[in-house]
Amino acid sequence: MDYFARRKIAPILAEPQATENVIVMGWVRTRRDSTNLSFLEINDGSTLHNLQIVVENPDRFPELEKIKSGAAVRLVGNLIPVPQRKHKIELHPEEISLVGDCPADYPLQKKRHSFEYLREIAHLRPRTNTFGAVNRFRSKIAYAIHKFYQERGFYYMHSPIITATDAEGAGEQFWVTTFDLDKIPKIDGRVDYDKDFFASQTFLTVSGQLEAEIMSLALGDVYTFGPIFRAEKSNTPRHVSEFWMIEPEMAFCDLDENMRLAGEFLMYLFEYALNECSEEMEFFSRWIEKNRITTLETLLKSKFEIVTYTEAVEILKKAKMKFEFPVNWGVTLQAEHERYLCEQHFNAPVMVKDYPKDIKAFYMRVNDDDKTVAAVDVLVPQIGEIIGGSQREERLDVLKKQVELFGVKEESLWWYYDLRKYGSAPHSGFGLGFARLLMYMSGMANIRDVIPLPRTPRSAKF
Ligand code: ATP
Ligand code: MN
């Protein structure tokens, strides 16, 4: 197939050079004929841009007639730079073969399709400009995430996907079972989980954090970057049932140090996107949301404002704006409040810390006031929370009280307690939803469009 011998289009366009006998393979985007000339634009997925093919004396090529848009083709010919033209370089083929033809009912026609329509044909949408750009961008940012942590001596950890612990104490988990659902074994009317595959009730994980704590208290600095599952029925443009999350966990690290790392991490990714993904960023800025580049550049120049939850509530109470959800000490901050802080009050990204303990998770470290916990939310303009993190409770007695207060099932937490019993150490971490980050950086408005094959309620088609 000449897999190793062929040239990819991205490097050809990056350095236009006259070259003979070049092999190129890809899919036809457009075809146009004139007397004695045929023009094809082909794309091989390596870049947004197409390679211009100029066929002289088309009658020489018997297969050319069958080549329509969407077809897979293989071409051999000479690359000729044309500096005066927009496309800079073109291929003049000596050999043209149709690898896979494409009938006229190809669902991707030349016109612009709506994102809703493209979701229905998610198996073909990566061949469009937008979804090509989104998916190349996604890959590059995933790499940048690894690069950030690896450069700082963090170890990459794979948290288990099947788990018996309920990390958030919430009931939005998918159950994992091999029971025949028509014949579930029961004792006294209750499900006998001892007979199930793992001899206990198990779920798809909603967070890799608790397990990352295990590794952090041995390897020091670790991060997870893996799939997370939430069975929430909320059909919003911001929620999916399966997404990837990045969760670093650092031993001997307090909340303020955790916040510093979170800030550096975000800035690193924004800078990486601007410097290393300029083709995609320019595309997003032009076609998806105006000024995406300027937004990231402005953010890069700004500094995070840091306030406590209590201070944030005071600011919000004094606001001239009327909120849909009224603010009082003790309430969860809504996106409208978070955005007010960033966009109206500070005109900067904001970190809010020391939240009331009742509205956060059981594992967060209780502050000396016994009313708040060492939690932080990182807020950015336009969306509000992008990162949530905390210092974890490392004192066994305090942790046990929290578990009781939150009504978390203790049976599955014995190992979590052990970590506090044997050589406990302060440690901290945070979570960043990968898809939400991509939405923010690209300006894509619907989370379903930054995930190759999204899973949402009533939809796992592809
Ligand atoms: P939200 O209030 O938006 O539902 P959350 O408070 O439930 O978020 P966390 O439990 O703190 O979110 O999860 C950590 C991160 O995971 C969030 O900041 C967000 O980026 C992401 N996230 C949470 N739920 C989803 C989801 N259903 N789909 C995609 N990303 C999600
Ligand atoms: Mn949620």
Side-chain angles (χ1 to χ4, degrees):
M1 195 72 235
D2 291 320
Y3 170 78
F4 290 105
R6 60 98 195 250
R7 291 278 311 277
K8 287 217 181 188
I9 293 175
I12 290 176
L13 298 182
E15 281 178 53
Q17 262 174 6
T19 322
E20 286 181 359
N21 281 320
V22 172
I23 305 170
V24 174
M25 296 183 263
W27 293 269
V28 176
R29 282 291 178 86
T30 60
R31 168 169 182 179
R32 196 160 53 80
D33 297 308
S34 71
T35 35
N36 268 330
L37 284 177
S38 242
F39 301 96
L40 302 174
E41 285 191 43
I42 80 159
N43 189 288
D44 66 358
S46 63
T47 165
L48 179 66
H49 305 288
N50 303 325
L51 181 63
Q52 174 82 38
I53 314 294
V54 180
V55 188
E56 294 159 60
N57 303 322
D59 298 343
R60 286 185 291 161
F61 304 105
E63 287 206 305
L64 185 60
E65 207 190 324
K66 287 178 277 169
I67 293 177
K68 308 256 164 48
S69 78
V73 293
R74 175 184 184 276
L75 308 156
V76 186
N78 302 327
L79 284 173
I80 300 175
V82 283
Q84 70 281 12
R85 300 263 181 83
K86 204 178 135 224
H87 55 262
K88 298 285 187 266
I89 190 156
E90 45 193 43
L91 184 87
H92 292 236
E94 292 301 325
E95 253 180 68
I96 299 180
S97 7
L98 178 62
V99 178
D101 73 347
C102 185
D105 64 354
Y106 186 43
L108 292 177
Q109 296 304 322
K110 192 152 188 259
K111 64 174 181 131
R112 261 191 115 177
H113 296 292
S114 74
F115 290 166
E116 287 77 15
Y117 170 71
L118 291 173
R119 269 172 231 146
E120 300 296 313
I121 49 166
H123 58 306
L124 297 172
R125 69 177 184 172
R127 297 190 197 177
T128 63
N129 284 346
T130 300
F131 290 90
V134 165
N135 286 296
R136 282 186 293 273
F137 186 64
R138 191 180 158 104
S139 168
K140 291 178 190 180
I141 299 302
Y143 174 70
I145 287 163
H146 285 293
K147 198 161 164 339
F148 176 85
Y149 289 110
Q150 298 283 335
E151 280 171 359
R152 281 160 187 74
F154 282 62
Y155 292 105
Y156 179 31
M157 174 206 178
H158 297 122
S159 261
I161 289 165
I162 299 172
T163 166
T165 45
D166 176 353
E168 304 291 332
E172 294 175 334
Q173 292 177 295
F174 289 100
W175 293 9
V176 175
T177 179
T178 52
F179 280 153
D180 175 345
L181 297 185
D182 292 323
K183 283 183 278 174
I184 297 174
K186 293 195 174 167
I187 306 177
D188 303 332
R190 307 190 57 160
V191 177
D192 183 6
Y193 286 109
D194 193 57
K195 293 220 169 60
D196 204 352
F197 193 89
F198 297 106
S200 72
Q201 192 180 15
T202 45
F203 311 95
L204 293 181
T205 188
V206 295
S207 159
Q209 177 207 314
L210 300 188
E211 293 87 349
E213 287 184 51
I214 296 178
M215 213 52 88
S216 155
L217 290 169
L219 273 62
D221 294 326
V222 299
Y223 66 105
T224 72
F225 185 11
I228 295 298
F229 305 87
R230 303 251 169 121
E232 48 200 0
K233 292 261 164 61
S234 41
N235 233 325
T236 79
R238 297 156 46 78
H239 290 89
V240 278
S241 317
E242 176 182 318
F243 60 98
W244 280 51
M245 189 128 91
I246 304 111
E247 296 177 282
E249 190 71 33
M250 296 79 71
F252 306 104
C253 177
D254 66 21
L255 185 70
D256 289 335
E257 293 157 333
N258 189 18
M259 287 159 59
R260 177 172 153 190
L261 191 84
E264 286 175 6
F265 178 45
L266 275 185
M267 293 303 189
Y268 182 94
L269 296 180
F270 296 154
E271 196 170 350
Y272 191 91
L274 291 171
N275 294 342
E276 308 294 329
C277 312
S278 51
E279 179 180 294
E280 289 82 17
M281 287 308 302
E282 273 157 32
F283 179 86
F284 299 143
S285 264
R286 175 141 184 231
W287 298 103
I288 304 301
E289 202 191 292
K290 274 228 184 71
N291 304 327
R292 264 304 83 182
I293 290 181
T294 341
T295 307
L296 293 194
E297 281 172 350
T298 312
L299 219 51
L300 257 183
K301 282 190 214 112
S302 53
K303 261 191 70 204
F304 286 95
E305 293 285 343
I306 297 176
V307 282
T308 64
Y309 170 88
T310 306
E311 289 163 348
V313 166
E314 286 311 309
I315 293 169
L316 292 164
K317 276 179 159 170
K318 286 194 202 116
K320 297 238 164 51
M321 208 175 123
K322 188 150 169 41
F323 296 115
E324 191 188 333
F325 295 90
V327 185
N328 273 305
W329 200 94
V331 303
T332 305
L333 298 185
Q334 305 289 331
E336 55 172 344
H337 309 128
E338 298 172 339
R339 291 188 58 176
Y340 177 86
L341 292 171
C342 293
E343 294 165 26
Q344 311 287 324
H345 189 79
F346 288 114
N347 192 25
V350 182
M351 296 190 189
V352 181
K353 65 175 194 172
D354 299 334
Y355 281 80
K357 67 176 181 183
D358 299 349
I359 60 171
K360 287 289 178 181
F362 75 92
Y363 51 74
M364 297 182 177
R365 191 178 196 278
V366 181
N367 287 328
D368 292 345
D369 62 12
D370 202 30
K371 286 200 205 85
T372 60
V373 286
V376 62
D377 280 359
V378 181
L379 318 177
V380 291
Q382 291 181 16
I383 57 165
E385 181 195 332
I386 190 159
I387 283 182
S390 66
Q391 184 170 341
R392 323 304 188 188
E393 185 53 73
E394 87 282 13
R395 299 160 296 184
L396 186 56
D397 53 329
V398 185
L399 179 65
K400 283 188 169 164
K401 267 194 221 137
Q402 284 286 98
V403 166
E404 200 186 316
L405 198 77
F406 278 78
V408 181
K409 277 183 270 147
E410 253 190 324
E411 309 91 81
S412 58
L413 284 178
W414 62 272
W415 56 266
Y416 198 68
Y417 286 164
D418 262 8
L419 295 174
R420 276 72 186 164
K421 186 172 162 194
Y422 304 115
S424 187
H427 57 289
S428 303
F430 58 84
L432 170 65
F434 187 41
R436 294 267 180 93
L437 171 80
L438 294 173
M439 285 173 77
Y440 187 65
M441 298 210 287
S442 65
M444 296 293 286
N446 195 310
I447 193 166
R448 290 164 182 76
D449 297 333
V450 296
I451 295 175
L453 303 163
R455 272 83 182 93
T456 50
R458 302 185 59 80
S459 169
K461 227 186 299 180
F462 299 95

